[in-house]
């Protein structure tokens, strides 16, 4: 584990980005159980997850069925694009997103 860079996705612990984060949007939890999916795209501070199961929400189609992922929502190092991850799904004014994201197989919990 640790706080280094790996596969283009850093662990947020100890991350000292130079840009100020935008104000958080109001999030509503969609699922109370962890979901699984694979990192589909990553562009430095955000990307998308291709979910194993489609999200049952009207906003789910907004990004072609993919789930938004911000670096602030990554809990532990992820290998990079193609990695299997677990997460909770939320919805905000931009559509569906993933929070509390970690590599699949880590001890489950909140």
């Amino acid at each position: 584990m640790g706080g280094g860079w790996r596969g283009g996705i850093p662990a947020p612990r100890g991350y000292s980005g130079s840009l100020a984060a935008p104000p958080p949007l109001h999030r509503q939890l969609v699922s109370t159980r962890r979901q699984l999916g694979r990192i589909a795209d990553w562009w430095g501070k955000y990307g998308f997850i291709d979910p194993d199961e489609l999200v049952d929400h009207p906003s789910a189609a907004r990004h072609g069925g993919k789930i938004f992922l911000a670096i602030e929502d990554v809990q532990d190092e992820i290998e990079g694009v193609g990695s299997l991850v677990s997460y909770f799904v939320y919805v905000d004014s931009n559509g569906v997103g993933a929070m509390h994201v970690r590599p699949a197989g880590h001890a489950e919990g909140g």
Side-chain angles (χ1 to χ4, degrees):
M1 305 309 147
W5 289 80
R6 204 179 224 189
I9 301 178
R13 287 188 205 110
Y15 178 71
S16 59
S18 60
L19 299 176
L25 299 173
H26 174 72
R27 293 178 171 184
Q28 179 181 354
L29 194 61
V30 172
S31 68
T32 57
R33 69 174 178 87
R34 284 192 165 275
Q35 307 292 310
L36 293 174
R38 293 198 179 271
I39 303 294
D41 304 293
W42 188 256
W43 296 287
K45 294 190 183 217
Y46 70 96
F48 288 90
I49 295 172
D50 190 9
D52 283 0
E53 296 178 22
L54 296 177
V55 176
D56 185 19
H57 192 277
S59 297
R62 186 175 253 172
H63 299 290
K66 293 181 181 177
I67 298 172
F68 179 79
L69 168 61
I71 194 169
E72 294 84 12
D73 290 306
V74 177
Q75 289 186 324
D76 206 349
E77 254 179 86
I78 297 172
E79 294 292 324
V81 172
S83 295
L84 184 63
V85 293
S86 71
Y87 53 91
F88 291 101
V89 177
Y90 69 85
V91 66
D92 64 17
S93 61
N94 290 324
V96 294
M99 58 195 271
H100 305 293
V101 181
R102 63 175 77 138
H106 275 212
E108 296 303 320

